[in-house]
Amino acid sequence: MIETDILIIGAGPTGLFAVFEAGLLQLKCHLIDALPQAGGQCSEIYPKKPIYDIPGFPEILAGELVDNLMEQIKPFQPGFTLGERADTIEKLEDGSFVVTTGKGTKHHAPIVAIAGGLGSFEPRKPLLENLAEYEDKGVAYIIKDPEIYRDKKVIISGGGDSALDWSIFLADVASEVTLVHRRNEFRGALDSVEKVQQLKNQGKINLITPAEVVALHGDGHLTSVTIQKVGGEPGHMVLEVDNFIPLFGLSPKLGPLADWGLEIEKNAIKVDNTLDYQTNIPGVYAIGDVNTYPGKLKLILCGFHEATLMCQSAYQRIFPDKKYVMKYTTVGGVTGFDGSRKEAPKAVVKTID
């Protein structure tokens, strides 16, 4: 049985930052993640994707953000159960919890923080008759290593942030980038839409709207696609291509978490955002993209904020007789859980027994 103060389900950016905030309070954390490495989607799906809305970083690659977060939590020595999915939860008589993975690993903690991002997920695929024939043979739904597309002809399909951002990024990598969207309007950030338009005007991106890819061609490997105009506009074209990347988003699923007795709304866990992001089960919190509440924004920086308030609430639940007042953090030596002194931020607090 693995014992810890806060058991975190999900080792993405929000879960990792929760370790830091808990560590400032001298609370030990252990993380469970079904993926074989920490970092969540930032490591598994788009490690080379630039992120622009992390305070203090005008631009940072998703993989670099994870590396920085892992470095930040080193002094607090979190435990990890990776490559295992949290399957069941049991509430004990003393109010603590036992969470068991699909491989039978048991974890015991007074606090459970669900930071599972979108949960388990699979890409939304276009309805193309022969799509499966070209999967991993020119068709991909996730970009892990953009260098694969170096000097290649790439067609991206989609109208959201991922399609826009990767079109922008690959404009400096691929020999030719074509973005196809079935509408003239995009769903992504305005800055990204404007950047795509600028790259189009510079001849670095081919933009075809409103249109969609309707057929794939090739003998064993993708060599061309048929693009059809939509919305009543006549005409179609066949374009030579090395890679077709449909980025229509991910279909999220909560998996076993949906059977934990949590209040669910639109495939997300409802929480009380007026205080501490606690669920309908006392002692169980949900932070980051996995939760929902009025005004929710699915941004990494919002997950960081939620993790901070969650940890303060967790401290009060674990130590109900202590009054804790967080003032600020500063830079100085901190005692790690192994007794060693390390340079790291520490909390300046007032605690009254």
Side-chain angles (χ1 to χ4, degrees):
M1 182 89 73
I2 296 173
E3 301 280 348
T4 191
D5 295 319
I6 301 178
L7 181 63
I8 302 173
I9 312 299
T14 295
L16 294 176
F17 189 71
V19 174
F20 173 77
E21 289 295 327
L24 293 176
L25 306 177
Q26 289 293 295
L27 296 178
K28 184 76 173 178
C29 291
H30 190 96
L31 302 95
I32 302 174
D33 202 297
L35 296 175
Q37 73 284 322
Q41 294 182 55
C42 286
S43 293
E44 179 69 9
I45 299 177
Y46 46 80
K48 299 298 183 181
K49 178 181 177 181
I51 301 175
Y52 301 101
D53 59 358
I54 302 300
F57 292 92
E59 177 182 333
I60 185 170
L61 297 182
E64 291 178 353
L65 175 63
V66 172
D67 291 341
N68 288 352
L69 288 166
M70 290 294 287
E71 183 67 25
Q72 188 178 31
I73 65 177
K74 269 186 180 179
F76 306 118
Q77 299 177 310
F80 289 90
T81 299
L82 300 175
E84 299 186 32
R85 185 179 65 179
D87 271 9
T88 64
I89 187 170
E90 176 188 2
K91 191 167 187 176
L92 305 182
E93 291 185 2
D94 63 358
S96 63
F97 303 90
V98 172
V99 173
T100 305
T101 70
K103 294 184 179 180
T105 307
K106 294 184 178 295
H107 309 75
H108 177 238
I111 300 292
V112 174
I114 302 171
L118 296 175
S120 58
F121 49 84
E122 57 185 31
R124 296 188 179 99
K125 301 180 181 182
L127 299 177
L128 297 174
E129 182 177 353
N130 58 346
L131 182 67
E133 296 177 22
Y134 298 104
E135 290 178 347
D136 298 322
K137 299 175 182 178
V139 172
Y141 309 106
I142 294 170
I143 299 176
K144 292 185 180 181
D145 181 7
E147 282 300 315
I148 292 175
Y149 307 102
R150 174 71 62 181
D151 300 326
K152 304 287 187 180
K153 293 182 178 180
V154 177
I155 291 180
I156 294 175
S157 186
D161 286 315
S162 291
L164 292 166
D165 291 346
W166 278 119
S167 295
I168 294 168
F169 188 92
L170 292 179
D172 293 325
V173 175
S175 62
E176 183 177 308
V177 174
T178 300
L179 176 59
V180 180
H181 182 40
R182 62 178 291 105
R183 297 180 179 86
N184 289 318
E185 301 79 20
F186 290 88
R187 303 185 307 277
L190 180 59
D191 286 347
S192 297
V193 176
E194 292 177 348
K195 181 64 174 177
V196 165
Q197 188 62 48
Q198 291 172 6
L199 291 171
K200 175 196 172 186
N201 296 338
Q202 295 169 9
K204 294 184 177 180
I205 288 180
N206 302 318
L207 184 60
I208 305 177
T209 64
E212 60 184 339
V213 175
V214 295
L216 309 178
H217 314 285
D219 185 9
H221 194 283
L222 184 70
T223 56
S224 63
V225 304
T226 298
I227 298 175
Q228 177 72 52
K229 284 285 189 175
V230 300
E233 295 190 27
H236 71 274
M237 64 188 77
V238 177
L239 296 183
E240 291 184 1
V241 67
D242 297 301
N243 300 93
F244 172 50
I245 311 170
L247 296 175
F248 296 151
L250 302 171
S251 179
K253 298 179 180 179
L254 287 176
L257 297 178
D259 300 321
W260 283 16
L262 300 162
E263 190 173 356
I264 307 296
E265 182 179 283
K266 295 181 179 180
N267 208 46
I269 302 170
K270 290 186 68 175
V271 296
D272 177 9
N273 69 312
T274 63
L275 183 61
D276 55 10
Y277 304 96
Q278 198 161 186
T279 70
N280 59 304
I281 301 176
V284 177
Y285 300 77
I287 53 177
D289 287 355
V290 76
N291 75 16
T292 185
Y293 52 83
K296 169 69 178 182
L297 292 176
K298 292 184 180 294
L299 299 174
I300 292 175
L301 62 91
C302 293
F304 291 167
H305 165 77
E306 294 165 9
T308 303
L309 296 186
M310 178 277 294
C311 287
Q312 294 193 45
S313 175
Y315 182 91
Q316 293 297 326
R317 287 191 63 86
I318 295 172
F319 302 110
D321 297 329
K322 291 184 178 181
K323 184 179 180 181
Y324 168 80
V325 180
M326 178 74 170
K327 290 186 175 181
Y328 54 88
T329 58
T330 186
V331 175
V334 65
T335 301
F337 289 121
D338 61 354
S340 62
R341 294 290 292 176
K342 303 177 182 180
E343 287 299 314
K346 63 180 179 180
V348 176
V349 303
K350 181 179 181 182
T351 305
I352 303 174
D353 292 335

